[in-house]
Amino acid sequence: MQKYTVGGRAYYRIVESRRINGKPTPVPIMYIGPAEALVSRLLAKTDDSATRIRSFQHGDIAALKAMAERLNIVGIINRHVPSSRKNISIGLALLLSAINRVSAPCSKSGWTSWAEQTSVEHLFNVDPKKFTSQFFWDCMDDVSISALEAIEDDLTQCIVQTFNIKLDLLFYDPTNFFTFISSDNERSTLTKRGKNKQKRFDLRQFSLALLASRDSKIPLCSHVYEGNKPDSKVFPETLTMMRRRLERLVGKLEDLTIVYDKGNNSKANQALVDAAPFHYVGALVLSQHQDLLSIPESEYETLESGNLAGVHAHRLKRMVWGAERTLVLFISENFRSKQVRGFQQHLNKALEYLKTWKAALAKPGSGPLSAENAEKQIDQILAQQHVKDVVQVEYNKRRKGSDRLSFNIDQDAINHLYNDVFGKRLLMTNRHEWSSEEIINAYNAQSNNIEANFAQLKDPDHLAVRPQYHWTDQKIRVHTFICLLGLLLSRLVEKVAKEKAGYTGSLDGLLDRLSTIRLAMTLTAGVRGRPKCAWQLEDADPQALAIFRALVPN
């Protein structure tokens, strides 16, 4: 029992002695309150059995902490940001924030409430009440952009060396995240309106480009940039960053292959890739190679090996953008079905708009004031891809009423889309020695790796970048780094769980299963009424415990 004073008033708490930095240190485990609360407890009916049992969410927190200690995350961060706040290092503050993003993403003001329900206080010997939103903001202010780059550089080198991550096949792709930063906020130049991938075109956004390994989906290089920049415009800058990072990681790049999508393509960008020492697998826009679309399916070969057995593909070499490249044209039935469903939805919506417009034209005085306005309205209705190719619309202002608008569907054009266009993908590579199966599998792995990471960063239950309540560019960059740090730790936890415990499920499933492991604190009266504290794991699912023990040393 320990007495302490706050604001001149005496309070009591029960503390446990632990050795911290080599010194015995009292760590609070229960707050009793003022003297009157202590008297009430003494006068209340008691016995010698356990007086208090409380359990905390523990498994996921302990697994992430063990991984962070293995990599010396706090030490790496503090090497580049050596300051501290409230005697808590910046490295520890960022790590604890990252663990929250993994476990249950919340605002900085909600962090303390979350931490008090977990074993954070016990594992890290910290007082969660000190971690206010202002404390986190102050810590984030201390982290410069150059420090973030240096920390990421050291972290990736440590991870690749510690876990022997294979860097033979890497995946690059950008995405964006919408924010609620107001339009009149002039402090942020990162957030701009652009083509948002979650369809929130009304909001400002920032973009994130990521390079990840096929081995365990480890993020290796990140680049945060303005939300209104097209992917192809930022690709040269990101390519330079990736090349520097990879040269520090592996030295020679001749054995590496980078996979990227057609959104990053341009003649100038491909020239930069051609000049780089690594290999590539990329996609081309089929509409820019109409002659390949006309190749009859009878000239395709049927692949016979592995997961691509039965897929039809056509392979050739061709000069594209001034260099000979191996091209692989293949048909994906899954992709075809998705395109058909999406096109049908857009077509039905356009036809509904046209029918509604035609009915409205029957009213006197209705309709566009000029032919130009009518054309603009038609273009808006037929704006979705391929819809304009199959719907023929005419507006004749000399007619009356609803007869001014007429439209019909070109069934031959629809058949052409379904039979000759949908489902086809066109890949290019300078891996001339690879089989068609290897090229296609390398490209298909993009969705299983980099896009899986993006989906995770937009998952509200684990690792979400949102909610993010930051209004300046510097804090947005630090916040994104914290989320990526959580992703790094999670992917490594997943890797160890698969290798040592035979786990085969998803990352979400793993984190959910680990969170069921709870740590119980039992407080008993002990000899002569002296309180004794004991910590032990609660009974849990045996499989979850097996995974936990593989991740957390005894």
Side-chain angles (χ1 to χ4, degrees):
M1 189 80 70
Q2 184 184 70
K3 180 182 177 181
Y4 66 105
T5 303
V6 177
R9 190 176 183 189
Y11 294 86
Y12 294 87
R13 62 190 178 189
I14 296 174
V15 299
E16 180 184 26
S17 181
R18 300 182 196 164
R19 189 167 292 276
I20 301 175
N21 296 327
K23 298 180 180 180
T25 304
V27 177
I29 59 174
M30 181 181 292
Y31 291 88
I32 295 175
E36 51 267 30
L38 177 59
V39 171
S40 296
R41 286 176 178 267
L42 291 173
L43 294 177
K45 183 180 178 181
T46 61
D47 54 36
D48 292 333
S49 62
T51 59
R52 182 69 62 89
I53 297 177
R54 185 181 176 191
S55 69
F56 304 87
Q57 180 180 325
H58 176 67
D60 51 344
I61 313 299
L64 293 165
K65 177 179 183 287
M67 186 59 65
E69 288 177 343
R70 184 173 178 180
L71 295 171
N72 189 28
I73 296 286
V74 173
I76 290 175
I77 295 175
N78 289 339
R79 187 185 309 151
H80 299 285
V81 192
S83 60
S84 63
R85 300 270 182 171
K86 296 183 179 179
N87 297 321
I88 299 170
S89 72
I90 303 297
L92 180 58
L94 296 188
L95 173 60
L96 290 173
S97 183
I99 290 175
N100 166 255
R101 304 310 298 187
V102 178
S103 176
C106 67
S107 64
K108 298 296 185 290
S109 60
W111 188 93
T112 297
S113 297
W114 163 80
E116 289 177 338
Q117 304 304 312
T118 72
S119 59
V120 162
E121 182 176 1
H122 175 71
L123 289 174
F124 290 91
N125 293 318
V126 295
D127 180 2
K129 291 183 174 59
K130 291 183 178 180
F131 289 78
T132 63
S133 55
Q134 187 62 56
F135 167 75
F136 278 116
W137 296 335
D138 290 342
C139 290
M140 294 171 75
D141 281 337
D142 289 344
V143 184
S144 66
I145 305 305
S146 59
L148 287 179
E149 295 175 358
I151 293 167
E152 187 179 278
D153 197 9
D154 285 358
L155 272 177
T156 50
Q157 289 193 46
C158 180
I159 289 167
V160 169
Q161 294 170 4
T162 302
F163 290 92
N164 194 27
I165 301 297
K166 296 179 182 178
L167 301 179
D168 56 335
L169 190 61
L170 308 175
F171 304 93
Y172 168 82
D173 207 20
T175 191
N176 46 49
F177 300 90
F178 64 83
T179 72
F180 293 104
I181 297 178
S182 62
S183 300
D184 58 357
N185 185 323
E186 298 180 354
R187 298 180 66 187
S188 174
T189 58
L190 271 177
T191 52
K192 307 282 188 180
R193 284 182 174 82
K195 188 176 180 181
N196 184 262
K197 296 184 180 180
Q198 293 176 285
K199 310 301 182 184
R200 293 305 305 263
F201 306 117
D202 57 319
L203 298 174
R204 293 169 70 172
Q205 65 182 23
F206 67 93
S207 297
L208 169 68
L210 206 60
L211 180 72
S213 64
R214 174 171 59 175
D215 183 0
S216 306
K217 306 174 188 176
I218 304 297
L220 300 169
C221 184
S222 66
H223 178 39
V224 177
Y225 59 95
E226 293 83 352
N228 62 344
K229 278 189 177 181
D231 297 345
S232 59
K233 296 296 184 183
V234 80
F235 185 74
E237 182 181 355
T238 310
L239 183 67
T240 301
M241 293 177 60
M242 291 190 301
R243 182 169 178 173
R244 285 201 302 261
R245 175 67 50 78
L246 292 172
E247 285 173 345
R248 286 194 288 267
L249 287 174
V250 298
K252 294 183 179 180
L253 308 183
E254 287 78 5
D255 295 330
L256 274 62
T257 302
I258 294 182
V259 181
Y260 50 90
D261 215 343
K262 55 182 177 288
N264 305 291
N265 275 352
S266 71
K267 184 176 182 180
N269 286 353
Q270 191 56 45
L272 294 174
V273 175
D274 291 341
F278 48 74
H279 297 275
Y280 65 86
V281 173
L284 291 170
V285 180
L286 249 176
S287 60
Q288 298 173 0
H289 302 271
Q290 289 289 339
D291 58 322
L292 297 180
L293 278 174
S294 62
I295 297 175
E297 197 169 330
S298 58
E299 294 187 18
Y300 285 49
E301 65 171 327
T302 301
L303 304 181
E304 299 178 352
S305 62
N307 61 318
L308 295 176
V311 171
H312 294 169
H314 184 74
R315 181 184 180 124
L316 67 157
K317 284 189 177 181
R318 172 170 292 194
M319 294 293 294
V320 177
W321 288 328
E324 185 180 62
R325 311 182 194 278
T326 292
L327 305 184
V328 177
L329 179 65
F330 72 101
I331 300 173
S332 167
E333 293 301 333
N334 183 44
F335 183 44
R336 191 203 297 269
S337 63
K338 289 181 180 178
Q339 284 186 300
V340 169
R341 286 197 302 270
F343 168 74
Q344 197 62 54
Q345 289 174 355
H346 294 318
L347 178 61
N348 293 339
K349 186 178 291 187
L351 292 177
E352 285 298 320
Y353 279 136
L354 289 170
K355 290 175 183 177
T356 302
W357 186 18
K358 187 174 178 68
L361 289 173
K363 299 177 183 179
S366 63
L369 298 178
S370 66
E372 290 78 11
N373 289 339
E375 287 299 322
K376 288 181 180 179
Q377 190 164 344
I378 292 171
D379 288 341
Q380 290 176 353
I381 293 173
L382 306 182
Q384 294 295 339
Q385 189 178 27
H386 300 303
V387 174
K388 199 168 188 176
D389 300 331
V390 302
V391 181
Q392 299 170 343
V393 182
E394 181 183 3
Y395 183 85
N396 190 334
K397 67 176 183 178
R398 289 190 293 271
R399 295 176 183 172
K400 294 183 179 180
S402 60
D403 290 340
R404 283 175 287 175
L405 181 68
S406 61
F407 57 90
N408 60 75
I409 298 174
D410 186 342
Q411 190 59 48
D412 290 338
I414 290 181
N415 293 338
H416 170 67
L417 287 175
Y418 285 7
N419 298 326
D420 301 326
V421 177
F422 287 163
K424 292 184 177 179
R425 292 186 183 273
L426 179 59
L427 308 181
M428 65 173 176
T429 183
N430 60 352
R431 282 289 193 184
H432 306 297
E433 75 282 7
W434 278 10
S435 66
S436 297
E437 288 89 343
E438 289 176 301
I439 297 169
I440 296 172
N441 277 327
Y443 179 79
N444 286 344
Q446 175 105 343
S447 61
N448 296 327
N449 288 269
I450 193 81
E451 291 179 17
N453 279 339
F454 287 150
Q456 202 68 64
L457 291 172
K458 296 178 181 181
D459 179 357
D461 296 324
H462 299 292
L463 289 160
V465 170
R466 298 185 58 246
Q468 66 89 20
Y469 303 102
H470 304 293
W471 320 114
T472 64
D473 293 347
Q474 188 267 350
K475 279 195 172 66
I476 289 173
R477 291 181 185 276
V478 177
H479 172 79
T480 305
F481 166 79
I482 288 171
C483 297
L484 291 174
L485 176 59
L487 179 63
L488 261 174
L489 292 172
S490 300
R491 287 300 183 198
L492 292 171
V493 165
E494 181 186 29
K495 176 182 175 65
V496 175
K498 289 181 176 180
E499 293 174 352
K500 292 189 175 181
Y503 180 73
T504 58
S506 66
L507 178 57
D508 271 343
L510 174 62
L511 295 172
D512 288 338
R513 182 169 291 190
L514 285 172
S515 68
T516 64
I517 305 294
R518 299 185 67 82
L519 183 68
M521 179 192 74
T522 305
L523 192 65
T524 58
V527 180
R528 300 177 183 176
R530 189 174 184 177
K532 292 180 64 178
C533 179
W535 298 85
Q536 66 181 60
L537 295 178
E538 288 184 355
D539 287 340
D541 173 64
Q543 291 183 337
L545 276 173
I547 295 172
F548 174 79
R549 297 192 190 283
L551 292 165
V552 182
N554 292 331

